[in-house]
Amino acid sequence: MNAFFVLAHRWTGLVTLLFLVIASATGIPLVFSHELDALLTPELHRAPDRGQPPPAPEIIARLQRDHPEFQVTAFPLAGAPGRAIEAKVASWPGAPPLDFDQAFVDPYTGAVIGVRADRPGLDRVHLMRGVYFLHFTLLGGDAGRWFMGVVAIAWTLNNVVGFYLTLPSRRPFWKRWKPLWTVSLRASLPRVLLDLHRASGLWLFVGVLLLALTSAALNFYSEAFQPLVVSLSPPKTAPWDRRAPPRDPAYRPGLSFAGAEGLAVAAARRDGLTLKTAVETYDAGLRLFGVRFSGDGRETYAGLGLVTYYVDDRNGRLVFVDNPLTDSAGQKTLRALYPLHSGQVAGLATRLFVGLLGVSVLEMSITGLIVWWKKRKPRVAAKLARRRPQLSQAAGE
């Protein structure tokens, strides 16, 4: 049985090696994707600094007045001096589609600084989205996502098998197991690499296993994870679970972004919510404004993520509150998935830890390959030595 697990660990690792290297090498920069994107494209993210900007809904109103073809679907509410407002835009129902879906807006005037399509590419404007889709789908759409999901499942099982193979089969247990948690720098290079492979796998086993499990869950989210969780613990019924009202190409909301924000904030304060407004959204299909709240006023996913108040765009009525803290265990599980995988559970510290896990997976993949290659030659020589007498006997006969 032990020999079987050794072979399983070896060949599963070799088969998934290339894809784990891609996933870890792309996952490391994705931990800081927004910051890296801002560094790569300063012409989109920066604006002339003229002091504290006006409220973001006021600027978005100017944008829509100057560009009536824009349906703004989301934008951050926490403006900052010298930082452009990154608004998500689309065409109105029945209108010709736009060839972009992001507009970067001057936070003082509402003028458009630049636009781009949210798609992968090798140029610096689209590079981070390219890294994301390479990480998630190998740039292969649903087929690539499913394939990476299978790789994630194999990676999960391989982690468990690798951990099992380190467990001593004889006593004293701890005396035999303890050396595997260390790296002897005085040993030969192959032995140092083997020690590093095993020790990093042991010390970071729980984190890497969680990363693998959440990878599989995200890749098969709509096919398996969400239906299973919802069937076990259904969340509250949301407006998007019901049929949307019929689309009217001439329809425009009777409520402004500023008005919707004020109504949502008033409702949140009545509920005793002490969080800050972070993002405002609009869904023309559902005819709902959404105001998202977070602890620091940014679109972060610390804890279980954002709390959102949804307001009817016709009469300002509060329609739904998406608060994972007061929802079912199933909803809490669904909302915890992305923060756990991306490291946004508790801010910078956990993001750095997930970055470390990515480096560790890359290291274990490379050291595992080198160790296999170093041991392959003796194994092949031993196999030939065992077969030589049989071949000689067969030749004699």
Side-chain angles (χ1 to χ4, degrees):
M1 183 62 70
N2 198 66
F4 167 78
F5 281 130
V6 169
L7 286 174
H9 184 68
R10 179 187 303 157
W11 288 106
T12 303
L14 288 172
V15 170
T16 60
L17 174 71
L18 174 62
F19 309 107
L20 288 181
V21 167
I22 293 173
S24 56
T26 53
I28 295 167
L30 283 178
V31 174
F32 303 100
S33 60
H34 186 76
E35 292 86 349
L36 290 173
D37 183 56
L39 287 174
L40 287 169
T41 56
E43 71 277 14
L44 294 178
H45 289 273
R46 294 178 186 172
D49 189 345
R50 304 186 188 97
Q52 187 61 33
E58 178 183 322
I59 298 302
I60 294 300
R62 296 183 195 176
L63 172 70
Q64 291 186 303
R65 185 177 60 247
D66 296 338
H67 297 275
E69 72 278 14
F70 287 2
Q71 177 196 163
V72 177
T73 59
F75 62 93
L77 288 166
R83 189 177 72 187
I85 298 174
E86 184 179 343
K88 294 181 180 179
V89 297
S91 59
W92 289 98
L98 303 174
D99 58 1
F100 54 88
D101 49 20
Q102 289 179 309
F104 294 83
V105 183
D106 188 302
Y108 305 97
T109 66
V112 176
I113 296 172
V115 297
R116 72 175 172 187
D118 186 18
R119 58 173 176 79
L122 294 177
D123 59 304
R124 61 186 178 85
V125 175
H126 301 97
L127 181 60
M128 291 313 299
R129 292 304 284 171
V131 171
Y132 169 79
F133 282 105
L134 181 60
H135 176 80
F136 189 38
T137 70
L138 293 178
L139 300 176
D142 279 340
R145 175 173 61 84
W146 295 334
F147 179 80
M148 289 300 282
V150 173
V151 169
I153 293 172
W155 178 30
T156 301
L157 297 175
N158 211 29
N159 281 329
V160 176
V161 170
F163 183 84
Y164 166 79
L165 289 173
T166 67
L167 301 176
S169 57
R170 292 177 295 170
R171 295 181 179 180
F173 180 88
W174 178 242
K175 186 176 181 181
R176 293 179 179 276
W177 200 32
K178 183 179 179 181
L180 303 186
W181 293 71
T182 61
V183 178
S184 176
L185 298 178
R186 297 180 180 180
S188 62
L189 181 60
R191 181 52 190 262
V192 170
L193 294 176
L194 177 60
D195 286 351
L196 183 61
H197 182 80
R198 283 191 304 213
S200 57
L202 285 170
W203 280 104
L204 298 173
F205 171 71
V206 174
V208 172
L209 182 63
L210 189 60
L211 203 61
L213 286 169
T214 54
S215 296
L218 285 168
N219 282 90
F220 293 118
Y221 184 83
S222 58
E223 292 85 358
F225 185 73
Q226 184 187 38
L228 176 62
V229 171
V230 168
S231 66
L232 295 174
S233 179
K236 296 177 182 177
T237 301
W240 44 88
D241 297 328
R242 300 188 291 267
R243 182 176 298 178
R247 287 180 174 244
D248 178 4
Y251 177 79
R252 294 295 183 271
L255 193 64
S256 67
F257 278 111
E261 181 193 11
L263 291 170
V265 169
R269 297 299 173 256
R270 287 196 300 270
D271 292 342
L273 193 74
T274 58
L275 302 177
K276 300 177 182 178
T277 55
V279 177
E280 189 162 5
T281 66
Y282 177 67
D283 190 316
L286 295 174
R287 297 181 180 174
L288 290 178
F289 286 97
V291 178
R292 300 174 182 172
F293 296 80
S294 71
D296 59 2
R298 295 181 300 165
E299 190 174 14
T300 59
Y301 293 86
L304 295 176
L306 301 157
V307 175
T308 308
Y309 277 64
Y310 290 95
V311 176
D312 191 298
D313 73 349
R314 291 159 290 189
N315 52 31
R317 181 174 60 88
L318 181 66
V319 175
F320 183 70
V321 178
D322 180 14
N323 187 346
L325 298 175
T326 60
D327 212 319
S328 68
Q331 181 70 345
K332 289 181 174 66
T333 302
L334 294 175
R335 293 288 292 270
L337 182 60
Y338 179 72
L340 284 172
H341 187 75
S342 64
Q344 297 190 47
V345 177
L348 180 60
T350 47
R351 290 170 70 195
L352 289 172
F353 180 66
V354 167
L356 172 64
L357 292 178
V359 173
S360 175
V361 172
L362 191 60
E363 168 266 308
M364 284 189 282
S365 299
I366 295 172
T367 54
L369 177 63
I370 296 173
V371 168
W372 169 78
W373 183 254
K374 289 287 185 181
K375 290 186 174 183
R376 181 178 179 274
K377 187 175 181 179
R379 280 198 303 269
V380 172
K383 187 181 293 185
L384 289 174
R386 288 194 300 269
R387 292 180 59 188
R388 196 170 290 119
Q390 298 173 359
L391 295 174
S392 301
Q393 183 180 357
E397 292 175 353

